[in-house]
Amino acid sequence: MSSRDLVLMTAPLREDFTIPCHELGPAAGNPAVSFVSGLHGDEINGIYILARLADFLTAVEGGGYPKLRLAQRVLIIPAVNVLGTNTLRRAWPFDQSDQNRMFPGNQMGETTQRIAYTVLEATKKSAYRVDLHSSNLYFEELPQVRLYDPTPEERETAHLFGLSAIMERSVSPVFTTTLMYSWKYWPGQSFLLQIGQAGSIQLPHCQQVFRGLVSFLGRIGVLEGVEVAEADQEALYFTRECSVRIYADRAGMFVSDKSLGGWVSKGQELGYIYDSFNGNVRTRVTAPVAGLLTGIRRQPMLFEGDLLMRICTRTP
């Protein structure tokens, strides 16, 4: 195993900085799996999960788990936007650019373009590529595998992560400068894991995804000796047409006691929008369809038109 600096950069207003990465397993050849997180500096869940995964696989290599053996090479980049993480900012701190809108990058370009180029070069030839994200500061997502215009092989492999939901989406022009889009040009399989809410760690989500990544490595033969438990339930597969969004019909304070991953019935009360200053109920939020609650707004203060919840139905 080796921990090294993927990128060494100079910064105009502080000391030089590095983007660390971990290379584990046999050194020969391209990585069988590449894991990336922290393209947005405030998406802490993915950074935490991959840092813990690197520590776990390091212990495997060091003999800490005698029954386990790392049979193929794994590359882990826990935090790409390391300055954003250090300063608790989503975007690149100096020019507020989005690091995940800089791909495929440019070796001779601006700092974020050079970082994007280096990350893509390090990961693009992997057989499996996994990008971990969270939602924004306002919205929490059920841990899920997201597929963008997937191949049949990617649809099948997505079940190996052991998460309860798989969501298929089309690639829109908005995504053409992302890491996921750039990966699609190369042979191999690409996956995006969406986990919880930005700005903090939701430990139950992280624990679930960590276990899922270890199981995934076992199921594809990269980590030998893993005892893979059967999932409590088969992962539910949702197409774009299965996703129903609930928007606020007025401004106010949104309060809900619902938890992600629960099934709701059509017409069920899901929460309330209160007047922010006198406490009156302005709107009772009800489910327009029956389905699985996969997303919920956690920032109570809202404007008219803000996204409140996402429900995924079994059929479009």
XYZ file of all heavy atoms in Angstrom, residues 167-268:
802
model
N -31.300 4.230 -8.919
C -32.067 5.201 -9.687
C -31.374 5.481 -11.014
O -30.198 5.850 -11.049
C -32.238 6.496 -8.896
C -32.986 6.293 -7.592
S -33.462 7.832 -6.817
C -34.207 7.203 -5.300
N -32.110 5.306 -12.069
C -31.575 5.527 -13.405
C -31.978 6.918 -13.885
O -33.138 7.324 -13.756
C -32.090 4.463 -14.367
C -31.505 4.565 -15.757
C -31.847 3.372 -16.634
O -31.929 2.237 -16.098
O -32.028 3.580 -17.844
N -30.999 7.623 -14.439
C -31.240 8.967 -14.940
C -30.632 9.123 -16.335
O -29.679 8.419 -16.687
C -30.603 10.020 -14.008
C -31.176 10.034 -12.596
C -32.573 10.607 -12.601
N -33.111 10.741 -11.255
C -33.899 9.852 -10.664
N -34.202 8.725 -11.311
N -34.367 10.062 -9.454
N -31.178 10.053 -17.097
C -30.603 10.383 -18.395
C -29.518 11.425 -18.218
O -29.552 12.233 -17.279
C -31.684 10.926 -19.339
O -32.698 9.973 -19.542
N -28.549 11.422 -19.116
C -27.491 12.424 -19.080
C -28.008 13.683 -19.769
O -28.368 13.660 -20.935
C -26.219 11.917 -19.776
C -25.177 13.034 -19.834
C -25.652 10.716 -19.036
N -28.058 14.767 -19.020
C -28.495 16.035 -19.591
C -27.274 16.891 -19.905
O -26.171 16.624 -19.420
C -29.406 16.775 -18.607
O -28.643 17.370 -17.576
N -27.438 17.942 -20.728
C -26.298 18.821 -21.040
C -25.639 19.424 -19.811
O -24.466 19.796 -19.855
C -26.934 19.902 -21.914
C -28.120 19.244 -22.545
C -28.647 18.304 -21.495
N -26.369 19.490 -18.689
C -25.808 20.053 -17.458
C -24.636 19.213 -16.958
O -23.715 19.716 -16.321
C -26.909 20.130 -16.376
C -26.323 20.598 -15.036
C -28.024 21.057 -16.820
N -24.638 17.902 -17.292
C -23.659 16.980 -16.733
C -22.464 16.720 -17.643
O -21.620 15.895 -17.314
C -24.336 15.646 -16.411
C -25.442 15.759 -15.398
C -26.712 15.289 -15.687
C -25.220 16.341 -14.167
C -27.743 15.391 -14.758
C -26.240 16.449 -13.231
C -27.504 15.978 -13.529
N -22.369 17.377 -18.781
C -21.335 17.015 -19.751
C -19.926 17.397 -19.309
O -18.953 16.929 -19.909
C -21.624 17.665 -21.113
O -21.738 19.082 -20.955
C -22.914 17.122 -21.709
N -19.792 18.209 -18.282
C -18.455 18.580 -17.801
C -18.155 17.953 -16.446
O -17.265 18.417 -15.729
C -18.314 20.110 -17.701
O -19.363 20.632 -16.871
C -18.378 20.744 -19.071
N -18.885 16.886 -16.081
C -18.674 16.221 -14.803
C -17.727 15.035 -14.958
O -17.481 14.547 -16.068
C -19.997 15.723 -14.211
O -20.539 14.705 -15.077
C -20.995 16.858 -14.066
N -17.236 14.546 -13.837
C -16.378 13.369 -13.844
C -17.127 12.154 -14.381
O -16.577 11.377 -15.172
C -15.868 13.097 -12.425
C -15.003 11.846 -12.234
C -13.764 11.879 -13.115
C -14.625 11.680 -10.761
N -18.381 11.962 -13.959
C -19.157 10.813 -14.430
C -19.273 10.813 -15.948
O -19.134 9.774 -16.597
C -20.552 10.832 -13.804
C -20.627 10.185 -12.440
S -20.401 8.383 -12.492
C -21.863 7.896 -13.385
N -19.535 11.958 -16.529
C -19.685 12.044 -17.982
C -18.353 11.714 -18.674
O -18.327 10.998 -19.678
C -20.160 13.436 -18.378
C -20.537 13.563 -19.842
C -21.833 13.281 -20.259
C -19.596 13.970 -20.792
C -22.183 13.393 -21.588
C -19.951 14.078 -22.122
C -21.233 13.794 -22.518
O -21.576 13.900 -23.848
N -17.256 12.213 -18.143
C -15.949 11.945 -18.749
C -15.591 10.470 -18.657
O -14.975 9.908 -19.572
C -14.871 12.797 -18.067
O -15.081 14.172 -18.308
N -15.974 9.822 -17.567
C -15.709 8.392 -17.434
C -16.401 7.577 -18.522
O -15.905 6.523 -18.920
C -16.187 7.905 -16.069
C -15.208 8.118 -14.953
C -13.877 8.410 -15.051
C -15.491 8.045 -13.551
N -13.315 8.515 -13.804
C -14.271 8.291 -12.867
C -16.645 7.789 -12.821
C -14.193 8.294 -11.472
C -16.568 7.787 -11.431
C -15.355 8.041 -10.766
N -17.558 8.058 -18.975
C -18.360 7.268 -19.922
C -17.642 7.059 -21.251
O -18.021 6.186 -22.035
C -19.704 7.953 -20.168
C -20.556 8.136 -18.931
C -21.103 6.838 -18.396
C -22.342 6.414 -19.141
N -22.947 5.199 -18.536
N -16.633 7.836 -21.531
C -15.882 7.682 -22.781
C -14.920 6.506 -22.738
O -14.348 6.135 -23.767
C -15.093 8.958 -23.095
C -15.946 10.088 -23.630
C -16.409 11.093 -22.794
C -16.296 10.139 -24.979
C -17.201 12.126 -23.282
C -17.080 11.174 -25.477
C -17.533 12.161 -24.622
O -18.316 13.175 -25.103
N -14.721 5.928 -21.571
C -13.703 4.894 -21.414
C -14.345 3.557 -21.099
O -15.404 3.488 -20.482
C -12.740 5.295 -20.281
C -11.941 6.497 -20.650
C -12.285 7.803 -20.461
C -10.697 6.509 -21.346
N -11.326 8.636 -20.972
C -10.337 7.863 -21.526
C -9.848 5.509 -21.805
C -9.164 8.233 -22.166
C -8.678 5.875 -22.440
C -8.334 7.228 -22.613
N -13.716 2.449 -21.552
C -14.242 1.130 -21.201
C -14.281 0.964 -19.685
O -13.463 1.518 -18.959
C -13.234 0.166 -21.840
C -12.560 0.965 -22.907
C -12.520 2.378 -22.406
N -15.245 0.186 -19.216
C -15.414 -0.001 -17.787
C -16.792 0.452 -17.351
O -17.604 0.909 -18.159
N -17.047 0.345 -16.075
C -18.352 0.671 -15.524
C -18.240 1.823 -14.533
O -17.292 1.879 -13.747
C -18.964 -0.557 -14.839
C -19.159 -1.741 -15.779
C -19.831 -2.912 -15.094
O -20.719 -2.741 -14.249
N -19.422 -4.124 -15.446
N -19.223 2.724 -14.577
C -19.175 3.936 -13.751
C -20.448 4.061 -12.928
O -21.557 3.839 -13.437
C -19.014 5.179 -14.636
O -17.852 5.082 -15.429
N -20.275 4.477 -11.665
C -21.396 4.573 -10.742
C -21.266 5.830 -9.892
O -20.165 6.224 -9.525
C -21.448 3.350 -9.818
C -21.473 2.046 -10.551
C -20.280 1.390 -10.833
C -22.663 1.506 -10.990
C -20.286 0.197 -11.532
C -22.677 0.312 -11.694
C -21.490 -0.343 -11.974
N -22.412 6.428 -9.579
C -22.453 7.549 -8.644
C -23.288 7.112 -7.446
O -24.411 6.621 -7.608
C -23.056 8.784 -9.294
C -22.993 10.083 -8.480
C -22.863 11.287 -9.419
C -24.231 10.269 -7.592
N -22.725 7.249 -6.253
C -23.467 6.972 -5.035
C -23.884 8.294 -4.407
O -23.047 9.166 -4.169
C -22.629 6.167 -4.034
C -22.048 4.837 -4.512
C -21.444 4.079 -3.337
C -23.077 3.980 -5.226
N -25.171 8.452 -4.185
C -25.716 9.653 -3.557
C -26.045 9.319 -2.110
O -26.782 8.365 -1.837
C -26.979 10.111 -4.299
C -27.487 11.469 -3.898
C -26.743 12.603 -4.559
O -25.743 12.391 -5.229
N -27.217 13.821 -4.380
N -25.492 10.112 -1.165
C -25.542 9.726 0.244
C -25.906 10.921 1.104
O -25.086 11.826 1.317
C -24.183 9.155 0.711
C -23.684 8.084 -0.240
C -24.270 8.639 2.136
C -22.177 7.947 -0.272
N -27.113 10.976 1.593
C -27.473 11.914 2.635
C -27.441 13.377 2.245
O -27.786 13.753 1.131
N -26.954 14.190 3.149
C -27.022 15.640 3.078
C -25.629 16.231 3.251
O -24.811 15.708 4.017
C -27.954 16.144 4.193
C -28.123 17.642 4.297
C -29.032 18.003 5.468
O -29.487 17.139 6.217
N -29.282 19.284 5.642
N -25.353 17.312 2.544
C -24.056 17.975 2.667
C -23.946 18.711 4.000
O -24.936 18.984 4.675
C -23.852 18.949 1.509
N -22.707 19.027 4.367
C -22.461 19.869 5.530
C -22.256 19.144 6.837
O -21.811 19.743 7.813
N -22.592 17.861 6.893
C -22.424 17.100 8.124
C -22.337 15.621 7.781
O -22.489 15.235 6.615
C -23.583 17.354 9.097
O -24.810 16.905 8.533
N -22.084 14.806 8.797
C -22.033 13.358 8.621
C -23.310 12.745 9.176
O -23.665 12.983 10.332
C -20.800 12.762 9.335
C -19.518 13.171 8.615
C -20.893 11.233 9.407
C -18.256 12.736 9.320
N -24.016 11.988 8.355
C -25.150 11.190 8.825
C -24.624 9.766 8.995
O -24.531 9.010 8.021
C -26.323 11.249 7.846
C -26.933 12.640 7.690
C -26.224 13.488 6.651
O -26.118 13.099 5.489
N -25.744 14.646 7.063
N -24.257 9.445 10.232
C -23.514 8.221 10.497
C -24.235 6.952 10.034
O -23.589 6.066 9.457
C -23.160 8.135 11.984
C -22.163 7.045 12.372
C -20.862 7.189 11.598
C -21.896 7.067 13.875
N -25.534 6.790 10.253
C -26.184 5.566 9.759
C -26.051 5.394 8.245
O -25.830 4.282 7.756
C -27.646 5.750 10.182
C -27.583 6.646 11.376
C -26.459 7.599 11.072
N -26.186 6.492 7.501
C -25.982 6.410 6.052
C -24.558 5.958 5.733
O -24.333 5.101 4.872
C -26.215 7.780 5.396
C -27.637 8.244 5.420
N -28.703 7.393 5.558
C -28.167 9.501 5.301
C -29.832 8.091 5.525
N -29.526 9.364 5.381
N -23.588 6.564 6.415
C -22.182 6.251 6.142
C -21.865 4.797 6.464
O -21.133 4.127 5.721
C -21.272 7.181 6.944
S -21.348 8.909 6.428
N -22.386 4.319 7.571
C -22.144 2.925 7.940
C -22.737 1.974 6.909
O -22.122 0.958 6.546
C -22.716 2.658 9.328
C -21.955 3.373 10.445
C -22.653 3.295 11.782
O -23.888 3.187 11.853
N -21.890 3.345 12.866
N -23.926 2.286 6.435
C -24.564 1.453 5.425
C -23.745 1.414 4.141
O -23.506 0.348 3.563
C -25.978 1.972 5.126
C -26.714 1.164 4.065
C -28.036 1.797 3.660
O -28.403 2.870 4.139
N -28.750 1.144 2.761
N -23.285 2.580 3.693
C -22.531 2.640 2.441
C -21.153 2.006 2.606
O -20.669 1.316 1.701
C -22.427 4.096 1.950
C -21.519 4.190 0.728
C -23.815 4.634 1.615
N -20.499 2.223 3.752
C -19.204 1.579 3.994
C -19.336 0.065 3.880
O -18.535 -0.593 3.203
C -18.670 1.969 5.376
C -17.376 1.296 5.740
C -16.161 1.817 5.328
C -17.373 0.120 6.477
C -14.963 1.189 5.653
C -16.193 -0.521 6.804
C -14.978 0.020 6.392
N -20.334 -0.498 4.542
C -20.553 -1.944 4.439
C -20.834 -2.346 3.001
O -20.375 -3.395 2.529
C -21.711 -2.372 5.343
C -21.421 -2.275 6.837
C -22.485 -2.983 7.650
N -23.809 -2.393 7.447
C -24.318 -1.436 8.211
N -23.617 -0.945 9.224
N -25.526 -0.958 7.980
N -21.583 -1.492 2.289
C -21.880 -1.782 0.896
C -20.646 -1.804 0.014
O -20.516 -2.653 -0.875
N -19.703 -0.888 0.270
C -18.483 -0.857 -0.534
C -17.602 -2.065 -0.254
O -17.000 -2.635 -1.177
C -17.705 0.434 -0.264
C -18.378 1.736 -0.686
C -17.436 2.921 -0.461
C -18.837 1.699 -2.139
N -17.520 -2.472 1.003
C -16.743 -3.672 1.333
C -17.375 -4.892 0.673
O -16.684 -5.729 0.078
C -16.638 -3.849 2.859
C -15.981 -5.183 3.199
C -15.837 -2.702 3.473
N -18.692 -4.993 0.737
C -19.381 -6.111 0.086
C -19.184 -6.071 -1.419
O -18.987 -7.113 -2.058
C -20.876 -6.072 0.421
O -21.092 -6.288 1.796
N -19.232 -4.877 -1.993
C -19.019 -4.728 -3.428
C -17.642 -5.240 -3.829
O -17.507 -5.998 -4.798
C -19.174 -3.256 -3.815
C -18.810 -2.940 -5.237
C -19.650 -3.300 -6.279
C -17.628 -2.275 -5.543
C -19.319 -3.012 -7.590
C -17.289 -1.985 -6.836
C -18.135 -2.354 -7.868
N -16.619 -4.848 -3.076
C -15.269 -5.330 -3.374
C -15.186 -6.849 -3.263
O -14.464 -7.500 -4.031
C -14.263 -4.670 -2.432
C -14.037 -3.169 -2.630
C -13.131 -2.612 -1.531
C -13.447 -2.868 -3.998
N -15.922 -7.413 -2.317
C -15.942 -8.865 -2.193
C -16.662 -9.525 -3.351
O -16.193 -10.539 -3.898
N -17.778 -8.975 -3.753
C -18.590 -9.584 -4.803
C -17.909 -9.551 -6.168
O -18.148 -10.421 -7.007
C -19.951 -8.892 -4.876
C -20.872 -9.220 -3.700
C -22.216 -8.537 -3.851
N -23.182 -9.042 -2.885
C -23.692 -8.328 -1.891
N -23.308 -7.069 -1.728
N -24.576 -8.860 -1.064
N -17.062 -8.561 -6.418
C -16.385 -8.495 -7.720
C -15.011 -9.148 -7.680
O -14.265 -9.107 -8.670
C -16.268 -7.039 -8.223
C -15.400 -6.193 -7.281
C -17.648 -6.416 -8.409
C -15.126 -4.787 -7.795
N -14.655 -9.742 -6.546
C -13.407 -10.499 -6.456
C -12.172 -9.684 -6.168
O -11.053 -10.219 -6.218
N -12.319 -8.424 -5.820
C -11.161 -7.591 -5.500
C -10.679 -7.843 -4.080
O -9.481 -7.879 -3.807
C -11.505 -6.103 -5.711
C -10.396 -5.202 -5.158
C -11.720 -5.813 -7.190
N -11.612 -8.020 -3.157
C -11.284 -8.300 -1.765
C -11.736 -9.724 -1.463
O -12.937 -10.004 -1.351
C -11.974 -7.295 -0.843
C -11.678 -7.426 0.648
C -10.185 -7.256 0.936
C -12.488 -6.402 1.445
N -10.803 -10.627 -1.333
C -11.131 -12.031 -1.118
C -11.344 -12.323 0.357
O -10.693 -11.725 1.215
C -10.010 -12.916 -1.664
C -9.835 -12.809 -3.166
C -8.701 -13.679 -3.688
O -7.886 -14.157 -2.857
O -8.603 -13.861 -4.914
N -12.263 -13.241 0.648
C -12.529 -13.655 2.014
C -13.660 -12.926 2.687
O -13.960 -13.199 3.854
N -14.321 -12.011 1.988
C -15.427 -11.261 2.575
C -16.647 -12.171 2.696
O -17.038 -12.824 1.723
C -15.778 -10.025 1.721
C -16.998 -9.308 2.296
C -14.591 -9.080 1.646
N -17.219 -12.217 3.876
C -18.470 -12.944 4.064
C -19.619 -11.991 3.771
O -19.941 -11.116 4.578
C -18.562 -13.492 5.483
C -17.496 -14.537 5.805
C -17.632 -15.089 7.212
O -18.599 -14.702 7.907
O -16.774 -15.894 7.621
N -20.191 -12.147 2.598
C -21.224 -11.223 2.144
C -22.575 -11.710 2.636
O -23.026 -12.796 2.269
C -21.226 -11.107 0.606
C -22.331 -10.159 0.156
C -19.868 -10.635 0.116
N -23.202 -10.909 3.492
C -24.526 -11.261 3.996
C -25.574 -10.957 2.943
O -25.437 -10.013 2.153
C -24.819 -10.489 5.280
N -26.624 -11.744 2.946
C -27.729 -11.471 2.041
C -28.415 -10.175 2.458
O -28.596 -9.900 3.652
C -28.733 -12.618 2.064
C -28.199 -13.913 1.467
C -27.898 -13.785 -0.028
O -28.628 -13.037 -0.703
O -26.947 -14.419 -0.498
N -28.779 -9.384 1.470
C -29.466 -8.131 1.764
C -30.836 -8.404 2.375
O -31.467 -9.431 2.104
C -29.616 -7.304 0.486
N -31.274 -7.477 3.243
C -32.592 -7.626 3.852
C -33.695 -7.613 2.804
O -34.733 -8.235 2.970
C -32.834 -6.503 4.872
C -31.888 -6.610 6.058
O -31.427 -7.728 6.344
O -31.618 -5.571 6.683
N -33.471 -6.874 1.735
C -34.435 -6.830 0.645
C -33.699 -6.545 -0.658
O -32.608 -5.995 -0.676
C -35.485 -5.740 0.890
C -34.891 -4.329 0.977
C -35.953 -3.274 1.220
O -37.106 -3.573 1.478
N -35.570 -2.017 1.117
N -34.291 -6.968 -1.751
C -33.715 -6.719 -3.058
C -33.744 -5.217 -3.337
O -34.711 -4.512 -3.012
C -34.516 -7.463 -4.126
C -34.032 -7.230 -5.552
C -32.654 -7.813 -5.825
O -32.189 -8.649 -5.007
O -32.038 -7.425 -6.832
N -32.661 -4.712 -3.918
C -32.615 -3.293 -4.259
C -33.743 -2.951 -5.218
O -34.011 -3.678 -6.178
C -31.265 -2.949 -4.878
N -34.411 -1.853 -4.954
C -35.502 -1.400 -5.807
C -34.937 -0.538 -6.922
O -34.120 0.358 -6.682
C -36.513 -0.624 -4.979
C -37.207 -1.440 -3.878
C -37.953 -0.523 -2.933
C -38.160 -2.454 -4.495
N -35.362 -0.802 -8.149
C -34.834 -0.118 -9.320
C -35.875 0.882 -9.808
O -37.013 0.516 -10.099
C -34.520 -1.127 -10.421
C -33.567 -0.612 -11.467
C -32.227 -0.988 -11.452
C -33.982 0.269 -12.460
C -31.339 -0.519 -12.402
C -33.101 0.745 -13.406
C -31.787 0.348 -13.377
O -30.901 0.825 -14.321
N -35.472 2.148 -9.877
C -36.389 3.206 -10.278
C -35.848 3.916 -11.517
O -34.692 4.346 -11.536
C -36.558 4.237 -9.160
C -37.108 3.679 -7.884
C -36.290 3.520 -6.769
C -38.440 3.307 -7.786
C -36.788 3.025 -5.582
C -38.947 2.794 -6.601
C -38.127 2.645 -5.495
N -36.688 4.066 -12.525
C -36.331 4.877 -13.681
C -36.671 6.335 -13.387
O -37.302 6.661 -12.369
C -37.090 4.414 -14.928
O -38.504 4.610 -14.715
C -36.812 2.938 -15.219
N -36.275 7.204 -14.281
C -36.556 8.629 -14.102
C -38.056 8.888 -13.987
O -38.510 9.749 -13.236
C -35.967 9.422 -15.272
C -36.066 10.938 -15.102
C -35.434 11.666 -16.286
N -35.422 13.095 -16.061
C -34.444 13.748 -15.445
N -33.412 13.082 -14.967
N -34.493 15.055 -15.279
N -38.851 8.113 -14.735
C -40.297 8.321 -14.759
C -40.952 7.943 -13.433
O -42.096 8.321 -13.168
C -40.925 7.511 -15.889
C -40.574 7.993 -17.291
C -39.139 7.665 -17.698
O -38.571 6.690 -17.131
O -38.573 8.370 -18.555
N -40.236 7.180 -12.595
C -40.778 6.757 -11.299
C -40.635 7.828 -10.228
O -41.184 7.683 -9.127
C -40.088 5.480 -10.832
S -40.395 4.021 -11.845
N -39.879 8.874 -10.489
C -39.574 9.884 -9.484
C -40.626 10.993 -9.503
O -40.853 11.640 -10.534
C -38.185 10.470 -9.736
O -37.863 11.438 -8.767
N -41.264 11.217 -8.359
C -42.283 12.262 -8.216
C -41.785 13.271 -7.192
O -41.429 12.907 -6.065
C -43.626 11.665 -7.765
C -44.655 12.774 -7.542
C -44.130 10.660 -8.791
N -41.764 14.536 -7.572
C -41.278 15.588 -6.679
C -42.435 16.391 -6.116
O -43.410 16.666 -6.812
C -40.317 16.521 -7.422
C -39.060 15.812 -7.921
C -38.099 16.807 -8.527
N -36.844 16.172 -8.908
C -35.730 16.838 -9.188
N -35.716 18.163 -9.125
N -34.624 16.204 -9.514
N -42.289 16.781 -4.845
C -43.270 17.630 -4.179
C -42.617 18.975 -3.915
O -41.565 19.044 -3.269
C -43.745 17.016 -2.855
C -44.300 15.607 -3.079
C -44.794 17.906 -2.200
C -44.661 14.895 -1.784
N -43.240 20.051 -4.416
C -42.703 21.393 -4.260
C -43.581 22.209 -3.307
O -44.798 21.968 -3.179
C -42.626 22.109 -5.608
C -41.644 21.479 -6.569
C -42.075 20.544 -7.517
C -40.298 21.813 -6.538
C -41.174 19.963 -8.403
C -39.394 21.234 -7.421
C -39.840 20.310 -8.351
O -38.956 19.726 -9.219
N -42.975 23.181 -2.645
C -43.714 24.057 -1.737
C -44.635 24.973 -2.535
O -44.200 25.618 -3.494
C -42.739 24.883 -0.899
N -45.888 25.039 -2.132
C -46.823 25.931 -2.826
C -46.824 27.333 -2.232
O -47.515 28.218 -2.711
C -48.240 25.343 -2.831
C -48.823 25.188 -1.424
O -48.131 25.530 -0.438
O -49.975 24.715 -1.313
N -46.043 27.525 -1.173
C -45.910 28.855 -0.567
C -44.672 28.872 0.335
O -44.140 27.820 0.684
C -47.152 29.223 0.242
C -47.428 28.309 1.426
C -48.822 28.553 1.970
N -49.833 28.192 0.983
C -51.071 28.660 0.989
N -51.454 29.540 1.905
N -51.943 28.275 0.083
N -44.248 30.047 0.703
C -43.095 30.182 1.598
C -43.522 29.895 3.030
O -44.700 29.925 3.373
C -42.513 31.586 1.482
N -42.528 29.624 3.873
C -42.816 29.390 5.278
C -41.776 28.510 5.918
O -40.605 28.498 5.520
N -42.207 27.750 6.934
C -41.331 26.867 7.698
C -41.849 25.436 7.543
O -42.958 25.117 7.972
C -41.324 27.286 9.168
C -40.385 26.477 10.049
S -40.550 26.967 11.797
C -40.044 28.695 11.696
N -41.020 24.580 6.908
C -41.434 23.201 6.641
C -40.963 22.286 7.761
O -39.784 22.280 8.135
C -40.860 22.731 5.307
C -41.128 21.281 5.013
C -42.422 20.824 4.846
C -40.081 20.378 4.894
C -42.682 19.485 4.576
C -40.318 19.029 4.625
C -41.626 18.586 4.466
N -41.887 21.490 8.302
C -41.583 20.560 9.385
C -42.183 19.204 9.037
O -43.348 19.110 8.646
C -42.153 21.052 10.731
C -41.854 20.036 11.828
C -41.568 22.405 11.096
N -41.357 18.160 9.162
C -41.825 16.803 8.909
C -41.110 15.853 9.854
O -39.924 16.039 10.174
C -41.551 16.389 7.461
O -41.855 15.019 7.251
N -41.823 14.822 10.303
C -41.201 13.813 11.163
C -40.917 12.530 10.392
O -40.607 11.497 10.985
C -42.088 13.501 12.368
C -43.446 12.909 11.972
O -43.733 12.809 10.761
O -44.231 12.551 12.879
N -40.983 12.579 9.059
C -40.800 11.381 8.252
C -39.321 11.055 8.078
O -38.466 11.944 8.021
C -41.453 11.542 6.880
C -42.953 11.811 6.937
C -43.679 10.746 7.739
C -45.153 11.051 7.881
N -45.836 10.130 8.808
N -39.033 9.753 8.004
C -37.673 9.265 7.788
C -37.548 8.722 6.379
O -38.511 8.191 5.811
C -37.336 8.155 8.799
O -37.402 8.640 10.124
N -36.366 8.842 5.832
C -36.121 8.310 4.500
C -36.189 6.792 4.513
O -35.879 6.140 5.508
C -34.744 8.758 4.007
C -34.578 10.249 3.747
C -33.156 10.537 3.270
C -35.580 10.750 2.729
N -36.598 6.239 3.374
C -36.645 4.793 3.234
C -37.962 4.171 3.636
O -38.120 2.949 3.562
N -38.934 4.986 4.052
C -40.240 4.467 4.422
C -41.220 4.568 3.258
O -41.107 5.450 2.402
N -42.175 3.671 3.260
C -43.217 3.685 2.233
C -44.363 4.577 2.683
O -44.761 4.549 3.851
C -43.719 2.274 1.953
C -42.700 1.434 1.260
C -41.788 0.595 1.840
C -42.469 1.361 -0.143
N -40.995 0.007 0.894
C -41.383 0.459 -0.346
C -43.043 1.960 -1.254
C -40.890 0.153 -1.604
C -42.552 1.659 -2.514
C -41.492 0.770 -2.689
N -44.872 5.378 1.765
C -45.991 6.259 2.064
C -47.146 5.906 1.132
O -46.946 5.369 0.035
C -45.607 7.744 1.898
C -44.472 8.104 2.850
C -45.211 8.062 0.458
N -48.349 6.213 1.570
C -49.541 5.949 0.766
C -50.059 7.246 0.160
O -49.794 8.341 0.678
C -50.622 5.290 1.623
O -50.934 6.104 2.751
N -50.779 7.131 -0.913
C -51.344 8.304 -1.576
C -52.282 9.030 -0.623
O -53.128 8.410 0.031
C -52.081 7.891 -2.839
C -52.628 9.066 -3.634
C -53.277 8.607 -4.928
C -53.797 9.804 -5.724
N -54.412 9.373 -7.015
N -52.109 10.334 -0.499
C -52.936 11.139 0.389
C -52.446 11.212 1.814
O -52.994 11.972 2.628
N -51.396 10.483 2.163
C -50.871 10.495 3.528
C -50.238 11.843 3.847
O -49.526 12.422 3.026
C -49.836 9.381 3.703
C -49.207 9.312 5.083
C -48.193 8.184 5.193
O -48.152 7.278 4.362
N -47.354 8.230 6.212
